[in-house]
Amino acid sequence: MPSDHEIEAERPYLLRYARSQLQDAAAAEDAVQDTLLAALQGRERFAGGASLRTWLTSILRFKLIDVVRRQSRESTIDLGEDLDLADLDAVFDGSGHWAHAVRAWGAPEESLLAQQFWQVYQQCAQVMPKRTAMVFAMREVMDMDIAEICQNLDITATNCSVMLYRARLSLRECLEIRWFQREAT
Amino acid sequence: MMDCRQASRLISEAMDRPLSRAEQLQLSMHLLLCRNCRNFRQQMQQLRQGIRQGRER
């Protein structure tokens, strides 16, 4: 059974994870706090097969989904901003071709990268509409499939795929400016 | 023939669901001729990879 200390030691990792999903820092901390409490109380359920971090992350995922559900119930469900693809008009020209050439990104060196890339990704995620960022995080950070995301957020598969598409285009642009150009200079 | 806007949308969807035969065919025809979209597809894979590595750290 994991000790208090071992569980507590995972707090920074869990916080980082939670903050990557929720823009609301206070809500992220609450979710982590709830997770650690649940883990301390239920530590005999930790089977030991998976790593402690994996087990804690799986608890945190449920807490995060609760938060998102609560938030989407509180706010009126207006996906207008999230589904508006008009800002992509600058990405493509009138004939549907890329307005600017898409240049290959170099293969970044692994070691340095993971950490810095993650930071840049988090900055870039902040400029996306809230729910779009959430859908992207559920898909790419939490590894949920479309059906799970739709069910949890009560949106259609089509809306979900529009939001993912938009998130990817937006992250691509942002990463290119903040990350790959910096590399080149 | 599909344009880049449509192709990029399918490239994104392919990351979340299996494409139909027809979609696959149209997309690969487009990719054959379009370097921009090939680069886009590769960037999308790098994005996914970068996030996985950052997350596991």
Coordinates of all heavy atoms in Angstrom, one line a residue, chain A residues 69 135 138-139 143-158 160-161 164, chain B residues 16-17:
Chain A
R69 N -18.2 18.9 -16.5 CA -19.7 18.7 -16.5 C -20.4 19.8 -15.8 O -21.3 20.3 -16.2 CB -20.0 17.3 -15.9 CG -20.0 16.2 -16.8 CD -20.6 15.0 -16.1 NE -20.5 13.8 -16.9 CZ -20.4 12.6 -16.4 NH1 -20.2 12.5 -15.0 NH2 -20.3 11.6 -17.1
V135 N -12.0 19.8 -25.1 CA -12.2 18.7 -26.0 C -10.9 18.1 -26.5 O -10.6 16.9 -26.5 CB -13.1 19.0 -27.2 CG1 -13.1 17.9 -28.2 CG2 -14.6 19.2 -26.7
M138 N -9.1 16.3 -23.7 CA -9.8 15.0 -23.4 C -9.3 14.0 -24.4 O -9.0 12.8 -24.1 CB -11.3 15.1 -23.4 CG -11.9 15.9 -22.2 SD -13.6 16.2 -22.4 CE -14.3 15.0 -21.3
R139 N -9.2 14.4 -25.7 CA -8.8 13.5 -26.7 C -7.3 13.2 -26.6 O -6.9 12.0 -26.6 CB -9.1 14.2 -28.1 CG -8.6 13.4 -29.3 CD -9.5 12.2 -29.5 NE -8.9 11.3 -30.5 CZ -8.4 10.1 -30.3 NH1 -8.5 9.6 -29.1 NH2 -7.9 9.4 -31.2
D143 N -6.6 10.7 -23.7 CA -6.8 9.6 -24.5 C -8.2 9.1 -24.6 O -8.4 7.8 -24.7 CB -5.9 8.4 -24.1 CG -4.6 8.4 -24.7 OD1 -4.5 9.0 -25.8 OD2 -3.6 7.9 -24.2
M144 N -9.2 9.9 -24.5 CA -10.6 9.5 -24.6 C -10.9 9.4 -26.1 O -10.4 10.1 -26.9 CB -11.5 10.4 -23.9 CG -11.2 10.5 -22.4 SD -12.1 11.9 -21.6 CE -13.7 11.1 -21.5
D145 N -11.9 8.5 -26.4 CA -12.3 8.5 -27.8 C -13.5 9.4 -27.9 O -14.1 9.9 -27.0 CB -12.5 7.0 -28.3 CG -13.6 6.3 -27.5 OD1 -14.5 7.0 -27.0 OD2 -13.6 5.1 -27.5
I146 N -13.9 9.6 -29.2 CA -14.9 10.6 -29.5 C -16.2 10.3 -28.8 O -16.9 11.1 -28.2 CB -15.2 10.6 -31.0 CG1 -13.9 11.0 -31.8 CG2 -16.3 11.6 -31.4 CD1 -13.6 12.4 -31.9
A147 N -16.6 9.0 -28.7 CA -17.8 8.6 -28.1 C -17.8 9.0 -26.6 O -18.8 9.5 -26.1 CB -18.1 7.1 -28.3
E148 N -16.7 8.8 -26.0 CA -16.6 9.1 -24.5 C -16.7 10.6 -24.3 O -17.4 11.1 -23.4 CB -15.3 8.7 -24.0 CG -15.1 7.3 -23.4 CD -13.7 7.1 -23.0 OE1 -12.8 7.0 -23.8 OE2 -13.5 7.1 -21.7
I149 N -16.1 11.4 -25.2 CA -16.1 12.8 -25.1 C -17.5 13.4 -25.3 O -18.0 14.2 -24.5 CB -15.1 13.5 -26.1 CG1 -13.7 13.0 -25.8 CG2 -15.2 15.0 -26.0 CD1 -12.7 13.4 -26.9
C150 N -18.1 12.9 -26.3 CA -19.5 13.3 -26.7 C -20.4 13.0 -25.5 O -21.3 13.9 -25.1 CB -20.1 12.5 -27.8 SG -19.3 12.9 -29.4
Q151 N -20.3 11.9 -24.9 CA -21.2 11.5 -23.8 C -20.9 12.4 -22.6 O -21.9 12.8 -22.0 CB -20.8 10.0 -23.5 CG -22.0 9.3 -22.8 CD -21.5 7.9 -22.4 OE1 -20.3 7.5 -22.5 NE2 -22.4 7.1 -21.9
N152 N -19.7 12.6 -22.3 CA -19.4 13.4 -21.1 C -19.8 14.9 -21.3 O -20.1 15.5 -20.3 CB -17.9 13.3 -20.8 CG -17.6 12.1 -20.0 OD1 -18.1 12.0 -18.9 ND2 -16.8 11.2 -20.5
L153 N -19.6 15.4 -22.5 CA -19.9 16.8 -22.6 C -21.3 17.1 -23.3 O -21.7 18.2 -23.5 CB -18.8 17.5 -23.5 CG -17.4 17.5 -22.9 CD1 -16.5 18.2 -23.8 CD2 -17.4 18.1 -21.5
D154 N -21.9 16.0 -23.6 CA -23.2 16.1 -24.2 C -23.2 16.9 -25.5 O -23.9 17.9 -25.7 CB -24.2 16.7 -23.2 CG -25.7 16.4 -23.6 OD1 -25.9 15.4 -24.4 OD2 -26.6 17.2 -23.2
I155 N -22.3 16.6 -26.4 CA -22.2 17.2 -27.7 C -22.2 16.1 -28.8 O -22.0 15.0 -28.5 CB -20.9 18.1 -27.9 CG1 -19.7 17.2 -27.7 CG2 -20.9 19.3 -27.0 CD1 -18.4 18.0 -27.9
T156 N -22.5 16.5 -30.1 CA -22.6 15.5 -31.1 C -21.2 15.2 -31.6 O -20.2 15.9 -31.4 CB -23.4 16.0 -32.3 OG1 -22.6 17.1 -32.9 CG2 -24.7 16.5 -31.9
A157 N -21.0 14.0 -32.3 CA -19.8 13.6 -32.8 C -19.2 14.6 -33.8 O -18.0 14.9 -33.9 CB -19.9 12.2 -33.4
T158 N -20.2 15.2 -34.6 CA -19.8 16.2 -35.6 C -19.2 17.4 -35.0 O -18.1 17.9 -35.3 CB -20.9 16.6 -36.5 OG1 -21.5 15.4 -37.0 CG2 -20.5 17.4 -37.6
C160 N -17.9 17.6 -32.1 CA -16.6 17.2 -31.5 C -15.5 17.2 -32.5 O -14.4 17.7 -32.3 CB -16.8 15.8 -30.9 SG -15.5 15.3 -29.9
S161 N -15.8 16.7 -33.7 CA -14.7 16.6 -34.7 C -14.4 18.0 -35.3 O -13.2 18.3 -35.6 CB -15.0 15.5 -35.7 OG -15.5 16.1 -36.9
L164 N -12.1 19.5 -32.6 CA -10.8 18.9 -32.7 C -10.0 19.5 -33.8 O -8.8 19.8 -33.7 CB -10.8 17.4 -32.7 CG -11.2 16.7 -31.4 CD1 -11.5 15.3 -31.7 CD2 -10.1 16.9 -30.4
Chain B
D16 N -9.0 10.4 -35.3 CA -10.0 10.1 -34.2 C -10.9 9.0 -34.6 O -11.6 8.4 -33.8 CB -10.9 11.4 -34.0 CG -10.0 12.6 -33.7 OD1 -9.1 12.5 -32.9 OD2 -10.3 13.6 -34.3
R17 N -11.0 8.6 -35.9 CA -11.9 7.6 -36.4 C -11.3 7.0 -37.6 O -10.5 7.7 -38.3 CB -13.3 8.1 -36.6 CG -13.3 9.1 -37.8 CD -14.8 9.4 -38.2 NE -14.8 10.4 -39.3 CZ -14.8 10.2 -40.6 NH1 -14.7 8.9 -41.0 NH2 -14.8 11.1 -41.5

